[in-house]
Amino acid sequence: EIVLTQSPATLSLSPGERATLSCRASQRVSSFLAWYQQKPGQAPRLLIYDTSNRATGIPPRFSGSGSGTDFTLTISSLEPEDFAVYYCQQRSNWPLFGGGTKVEIK
Amino acid sequence: QVQLQESGPGLVKPSQTLSLTCTVSGGSLTSGSYHWTWIRQPAGRGLEWIGHISNSGTTNYNSSLQGRVTISLDTSKNQFSLKLSSVTAADTALYFCARDSYIGSYYWFDYWGQGTLVTVSS
């Protein structure tokens, strides 16, 4: 069974800084990886699908990259509304999520 | 704009069956190629996929819950439902319904309900 490990668990940054979030799979997952953003009390929101494609309405400061087992979500310049928890997700036998990275205000 | 809304009891006794319903508005359950999905999130923890049902009625469940979970469709009400039997405290979580849509090369969760908290306690 594939395991998704996200790092770091918490990322403390200031608005305007660049955020780099990692998602590592225990086995190759091809390009079937997505990223979601979840704010407190809200449902997750799809940000990135197929590793690098932004979902509808997602601003260009969000970008995804990677292949094989190592994937990255980059937020080029953090806006106040970007402080949240981010999950990666892949599909193997069934949809599986990583443990999440919390991006908090430093 | 598609909207999903979960409903059901917020408190379930151990060993009983948890039952939740997701009402879909702004679109039909039977149109398009979607998987109507249940996902849960224990407090302070990550997301766990429970299972889904397609608009043709085909189901697929997380093997860790196999045997306890049933997802069904009610097309007349544009709803789909979750039943999870023999619950324990470990089933206490925020339960989300979501739409799994074919976007790009595969299926991704593009619409979610707000979630409903279910606590298992006597």
Side-chain angles (χ1 to χ4, degrees), chain B residues 24 28-30 73-80:
Chain B
V24 179
S28 171
L29 277 182
T30 57
L73 282 177
D74 186 341
T75 55
S76 66
K77 297 180 180 178
N78 222 39
Q79 296 174 336
F80 62 104

Side-chain angles (χ1 to χ4, degrees), chain A residues 62-85:
Chain A
F62 291 94
S63 63
S65 63
S67 65
T69 59
D70 290 301
F71 299 85
T72 301
L73 174 69
T74 302
I75 310 171
S76 59
S77 179
L78 283 164
E79 296 288 338
E81 62 268 27
D82 298 337
F83 292 91
V85 179

Side-chain angles (χ1 to χ4, degrees), chain A residues 27-33 51 66-69 71:
Chain A
Q27 302 174 36
R28 182 181 175 86
V29 296
S30 183
S31 295
F32 299 146
L33 189 112
T51 298
S67 65
T69 59
F71 299 85

Side-chain angles (χ1 to χ4, degrees), chain A residues 31-34 36 38 41-44 46 49-50 87 89-91 93-95 97 99, chain B residues 35 39 41 45-47 49 62-63 96 100 103-110 112-114:
Chain A
S31 295
F32 299 146
L33 189 112
Y36 297 82
Q38 186 179 31
Q42 296 186 18
L46 179 65
Y49 65 92
D50 289 359
Y87 294 96
Q89 180 239 323
Q90 65 81 41
R91 309 190 75 101
N93 293 327
W94 59 77
F97 295 88
Chain B
H35 298 149
I39 292 167
Q41 184 175 35
R45 295 178 62 183
L47 300 157
W49 178 80
N62 188 324
S63 63
F96 294 100
D100 199 17
I103 307 171
S105 300
Y106 212 71
Y107 283 84
W108 308 109
F109 304 113
D110 61 344
W112 298 65
Q114 283 302 297

